[in-house]
Amino acid sequence: MVLALITLVTLVFYFLKIASVSADNRRSAAVFEQSLRASIDQFEYLPALLARNEKIIAHLRSAYSESTLDDLTTNNELAFSARRSGADIVYVLRPDGRVTAASNYQDKIGSFVGHNYGFRPYFARVMATGERQFYFAKGMTTGIPGFFISSPVRVDDRIIGVVVVKLELASLLDSWESSHDRVLVSDANGVIILASDSQWLYRLLAPLPIRKLNQVYRERQFPEENHELLFQPDPFLSMLPTGGADYWKVDGKTWLVDHFPVNGTDWTLHHVVSHRQILLPTLACFFIVSLLGCFWYLLMRERQKKAVYSAKVRQTEIRRREDLQRLIDHIHIGVLVFDGEGCITSMNDYAENLLLAGASFNENGVANVVDLLRLKSLDGLDSYLVDLQRTPQYFETWTRIGESPVPVMFALARVDYDNSEHYLMTLINIVRRKRAEEQLVKLNASLASTVDERTRELKVAQQELLQKSKAAALGNMAATIVHELSQPLAAINSSVAAIEGKVKRENWSGAMESAARLKPLGSKMRDVIQLLKSFSYDDSNHIGLLDVATLIQQMLDLHHDQWQERGIQIELIDRLVAPANRVNMSAIKFDLAVSNLLKNAMEALEKTASPRIRVELSATASHIQLVVEDNGGGLDDAVMEHLFSPWFTTKEVGKGVGLGLSIVYEIVQQQHGDIHAENISHDGAETGARFTLQLPLAVP
């Protein structure tokens, strides 16, 4: 019997382990499928977009001219498109299948230019159907496998060529190889086209019909590859129920494989786990269960000894309980014990006099606690239980027996009584306390009218104060608008002055650049006004991915005249590397936050002989960090404490209202970022201030 139980437990554990591994495989497969789809989907648009490119159309109009093989303009256009999009190779084929331009035209060995790929299905099907095609194959020229996306180039409903984008998926496969999971993808023919283990590539999951195999060789989908079977099914393990998974035996090792279709394709993703990951825990379970079985007999013998000992303990407990009952009967607090149905099991003399008005308690248990006390029901008893972690809780109610109800205070606890769960209740007569409370209520009532009168006087005073506060708030709002629009207005005036000077001197060098800055500054004023309105509304519709370095550079270019007019030297250090160079937030709020930091630094340099501002961009594992430094002498310690408080300013009257850094702080907090300020020193002397702003990186 013990052996059968051990076997049953081990088998149950084995199948539960398979179910657990399959569940983990399903979650991991979903992640791998998403990464695969994302690597392909981001390039679906590119062939169709390039098919409408005028340079490529003009190139294909002269498709049969031998000069097109050296068309440097088209080659450079394709190389630029490949670099900008991240595609590996982009090339153009004329109607006879010959490549006339390619992004890799400069490769002496691997260039596609001049090769004929008319036999490839991604070309032939486009020419036949006129629709976009997807195809996976091993490269004929480079030998590198890839995913091909092709689109027709049309002129007057006539196909004059095909644009193809090849994705080698190198970064995807690198991430698969670096993971602990073993994953592979097979196409509709059962050929493995992607795998975290390169030794499994191009092998078959099942024998392929001769017709299909000849088609693969004819299309040269996997040139120079011998399509051998990857695995042999395990005859014994295959008989076990695995819920859709299979057992593969590859090179003498057994694997458990789960299969998942890849949405939008005829591919299948296979998640492979070594059978040892299931077998070793199962053997450990068998060993542990066997040990437990060995101890079971010893425990049964020990149980007999404990039964004899428990009988002696029960006799001792009975004697102890009788002694305790005698003590409870003579205490000046009501004590009663009742079961979950409310039937009273035991009651001392004080409780009998209080609840039964002197009548004798029937020890047969016919009395019920609900009949003696005003309790709504027994369902809510647990809410009255004493919490041992806090001060004991007491509750009030009234008795039901007697000429007039008696107020009582009680506490309730759960106890073990006669080897079953009971409730222990203690009772105290609180008639005297109730009388004192009634007198206190009367005293409070006499004070209520006085409190109401003082409250009315206070409300009148509050109304007067509210009117004054509204007037002050209106003035602060107007000052805020002036504060936020003064910077772009100053920049506009500076650019206009520069243009006027160039006009008077008839020096037109740089005039267009100064004039071009006026429109962005006007747009910025409009955005600031829009932002002042949107602070009270949800701005989620304006949130997007922002390239931080690009926006900072644009901001510095807009204020170039202003920096130059004041003689301020600007130094920008960009340490950001894609993809860790973007944040997800409102562009207006980002512009406002950075502009206020730059404006604050510029105003600190008014009395500096050689003004200088240093802007540095860097990234940590989770945040983008922006540092703005100046050499304006630093900040006082008294200012540091109130630096980000609204309406706090050290400027003269009329030069600021103290909202700039407060707005920056508010924007950073909304983005779950951080900002702090500190003084920087050189040779022991404070030379300026440093503001460090951190914003969360956008999740790729």
Side-chain angles (χ1 to χ4, degrees):
M1 178 179 178
V2 175
L3 181 60
L5 182 60
I6 293 173
T7 305
L8 178 61
V9 172
T10 304
L11 287 176
V12 170
F13 179 86
Y14 179 79
F15 289 118
L16 289 178
K17 186 65 178 177
I18 290 178
S20 175
V21 170
S22 296
D24 293 340
N25 291 348
R26 188 176 298 103
R27 288 188 290 270
S28 299
V31 174
F32 286 111
E33 180 188 356
Q34 290 176 1
S35 65
L36 175 60
R37 290 297 310 174
S39 300
I40 296 175
D41 291 347
Q42 61 178 325
F43 296 99
E44 286 190 13
Y45 75 95
L46 188 58
L49 180 64
L50 293 176
R52 295 192 293 270
N53 188 295
E54 295 296 335
K55 294 180 181 180
I56 295 176
I57 293 175
H59 170 80
L60 287 173
R61 285 181 180 274
S62 55
Y64 290 97
S65 173
E66 292 299 327
S67 63
T68 59
L69 296 178
D70 299 321
D71 192 338
L72 185 59
T73 301
T74 307
N75 286 328
N76 288 334
E77 181 73 14
L78 295 178
F80 174 77
S81 299
R83 287 194 304 271
R84 288 293 301 272
S85 64
D88 293 293
I89 304 175
V90 182
Y91 53 102
V92 177
L93 299 88
R94 65 188 187 185
D96 61 353
R98 190 177 187 185
V99 178
T100 59
S103 61
N104 65 344
Y105 70 97
Q106 292 181 330
D107 296 345
K108 295 181 179 180
I109 299 177
S111 174
F112 286 9
V113 177
H115 290 273
N116 192 305
Y117 298 127
F119 60 88
R120 287 292 198 190
Y122 63 76
F123 172 80
R125 293 171 187 169
V126 168
M127 296 300 297
T129 64
E131 297 179 354
R132 180 178 58 182
Q133 298 294 322
F134 302 93
Y135 189 70
F136 188 93
K138 184 178 179 182
M140 288 292 300
T141 304
T142 64
I144 299 175
F147 187 76
F148 298 83
I149 307 174
S150 58
S151 288
V153 181
R154 298 177 183 274
V155 175
D156 298 331
D157 295 331
R158 181 172 58 90
I159 299 177
I160 64 171
V162 177
V163 177
V164 183
V165 173
K166 180 182 180 181
L167 310 176
E168 296 178 355
L169 306 176
S171 60
L172 175 67
L173 292 176
D174 290 342
S175 66
W176 285 13
E177 291 177 1
S178 62
S179 68
H180 298 291
D181 297 282
R182 187 181 292 265
V183 184
L184 53 93
V185 177
S186 62
D187 62 10
N189 293 326
V191 180
I192 299 175
I193 57 176
L194 297 172
S196 56
D197 187 346
S198 59
Q199 295 180 355
W200 290 12
L201 282 174
Y202 312 122
R203 298 176 73 174
L204 295 176
L205 301 183
L208 198 63
I210 297 300
R211 181 178 57 83
K212 285 287 187 179
L213 192 60
N214 291 336
Q215 181 181 352
V216 171
Y217 288 135
R218 185 172 59 255
E219 296 175 355
R220 284 177 275 180
Q221 185 177 3
F222 307 104
E224 301 178 1
E225 295 294 341
N226 185 14
H227 302 293
E228 299 178 350
L229 285 176
L230 174 64
F231 69 93
Q232 294 293 332
D234 191 298
F236 174 73
L237 294 177
S238 297
M239 295 186 295
L240 299 177
T242 56
D246 293 327
Y247 285 102
W248 290 359
K249 199 162 187 178
V250 183
D251 300 331
K253 296 181 180 179
T254 303
W255 308 86
L256 178 68
V257 186
D258 284 286
H259 316 283
F260 308 95
V262 179
N263 291 331
T265 69
D266 55 1
W267 296 352
T268 302
L269 188 144
H270 311 271
H271 198 289
V272 184
V273 177
S274 174
H275 186 241
R276 291 174 58 87
Q277 297 184 20
I278 302 172
L279 188 59
L280 292 180
T282 303
L283 293 176
C285 174
F286 176 79
F287 177 73
I288 294 172
V289 173
S290 298
L291 288 179
L292 293 176
C294 293
F295 286 117
W296 181 77
Y297 175 73
L298 298 176
L299 292 176
M300 293 299 294
R301 292 186 58 186
E302 207 50 42
R303 184 177 180 181
Q304 293 177 353
K305 296 180 181 179
K306 288 184 178 180
V308 176
Y309 175 75
S310 297
K312 295 180 180 179
V313 171
R314 282 196 298 270
Q315 293 177 0
T316 304
E317 179 66 20
I318 291 173
R319 289 194 296 267
R320 185 191 65 80
R321 190 174 298 168
E322 290 174 350
D323 295 338
L324 180 61
Q325 185 64 43
R326 284 192 295 270
L327 176 63
I328 291 175
D329 288 341
H330 295 87
I331 197 172
H332 293 287
I333 296 176
V335 179
L336 64 150
V337 179
F338 57 92
D339 60 17
E341 301 296 329
C343 295
I344 298 176
T345 306
S346 177
M347 182 187 302
N348 69 348
D349 296 338
Y350 187 92
E352 287 186 7
N353 293 328
L354 184 61
L355 298 179
L356 300 174
S360 176
F361 171 62
N362 186 346
E363 294 185 359
N364 292 328
V366 295
N368 193 291
V369 68
V370 178
D371 298 330
L372 303 180
L373 291 173
R374 291 185 178 179
L375 300 175
K376 293 182 179 180
S377 67
L378 295 175
D379 296 335
L381 285 180
D382 288 346
S383 63
Y384 298 124
L385 290 176
V386 172
D387 187 350
L388 298 179
Q389 302 298 326
R390 302 182 300 172
T391 302
Q393 301 294 308
Y394 296 94
F395 304 92
E396 296 181 8
T397 185
W398 299 78
T399 63
R400 291 181 180 271
I401 307 299
E403 296 179 357
S404 60
V406 177
V408 294
M409 182 170 64
F410 71 92
L412 190 65
R414 189 182 285 114
V415 295
D416 185 12
Y417 186 83
D418 284 339
N419 294 326
S420 63
E421 187 178 87
H422 280 66
Y423 292 95
L424 174 66
M425 178 181 287
T426 57
L427 295 166
I428 300 176
N429 189 329
I430 56 171
V431 171
R432 292 182 180 180
R433 199 192 75 178
K434 281 295 183 181
R435 291 173 182 172
E437 289 179 354
E438 291 175 358
Q439 294 177 358
L440 182 60
V441 170
K442 293 179 181 179
L443 179 60
N444 289 337
S446 65
L447 296 175
S449 59
T450 303
V451 174
D452 291 341
E453 183 179 354
R454 295 293 184 269
T455 301
R456 286 192 295 271
E457 294 175 357
L458 179 61
K459 287 184 178 179
V460 173
Q462 288 176 337
Q463 291 295 331
E464 294 177 356
L465 181 60
L466 180 61
Q467 295 300 325
K468 294 179 181 179
S469 299
K470 289 182 178 179
L474 183 60
N476 290 336
M477 183 183 298
T480 300
I481 297 175
V482 173
H483 174 84
E484 299 303 336
L485 295 182
S486 59
Q487 182 179 355
L489 282 174
I492 289 175
N493 290 335
S494 176
S495 296
V496 171
I499 294 174
E500 288 178 348
K502 296 179 185 297
V503 171
K504 290 180 181 179
R505 296 190 301 271
E506 294 186 357
N507 179 12
W508 306 107
S509 177
M512 291 302 296
E513 290 80 358
S514 298
R517 296 190 186 101
L518 295 177
K519 184 175 180 181
L521 290 170
S523 299
K524 179 179 180 181
M525 292 175 65
R526 179 199 63 202
D527 294 339
V528 169
I529 294 173
Q530 181 65 29
L531 179 59
L532 290 175
K533 296 192 300 179
S534 66
F535 267 123
S536 298
Y537 302 93
D538 181 17
D539 65 343
S540 58
N541 292 334
H542 303 284
I543 293 177
L545 291 176
L546 307 180
D547 187 329
V548 173
T550 301
L551 290 178
I552 295 293
Q553 186 62 57
Q554 293 175 355
M555 207 174 301
L556 296 178
D557 292 341
L558 286 175
H559 299 288
H560 177 267
D561 291 339
Q562 195 172 0
W563 310 124
Q564 191 174 25
E565 180 181 334
R566 299 193 181 194
I568 299 176
Q569 179 183 355
I570 300 294
E571 180 184 8
L572 174 61
I573 301 175
D574 182 8
R575 305 183 190 277
L576 297 179
V577 179
N581 63 344
R582 298 188 298 177
V583 296
N584 191 28
M585 65 180 294
S586 166
I588 301 175
K589 287 189 176 181
F590 178 82
D591 182 88
L592 183 57
V594 177
S595 296
N596 272 299
L597 289 180
L598 294 174
K599 183 176 183 296
N600 188 72
M602 182 181 68
E603 292 174 347
L605 299 173
E606 290 183 352
K607 299 180 181 180
T608 304
S610 300
R612 184 176 70 257
I613 296 177
R614 179 176 176 270
V615 180
E616 181 177 349
L617 294 170
S618 61
T620 65
S622 59
H623 288 75
I624 285 181
Q625 181 169 284
L626 167 66
V627 176
V628 179
E629 294 181 358
D630 62 64
N631 61 339
L635 301 166
D636 294 336
D637 293 338
V639 174
M640 284 287 193
E641 183 177 357
H642 306 284
L643 194 60
F644 298 106
S645 300
W647 316 114
F648 175 79
T649 180
T650 59
K651 303 171 187 175
E652 300 176 2
V653 177
K655 291 190 176 181
V657 294
L659 273 180
L661 293 179
S662 174
I663 290 176
V664 175
Y665 182 81
E666 179 67 20
I667 293 174
V668 172
Q669 291 299 309
Q670 290 175 0
Q671 293 300 125
H672 306 289
D674 184 37
I675 183 172
H676 65 273
E678 59 184 333
N679 287 325
I680 55 178
S681 60
H682 182 68
D683 296 333
E686 293 184 350
T687 60
R690 174 189 293 148
F691 286 81
T692 303
L693 184 150
Q694 290 184 331
L695 294 172
L697 276 170
V699 178

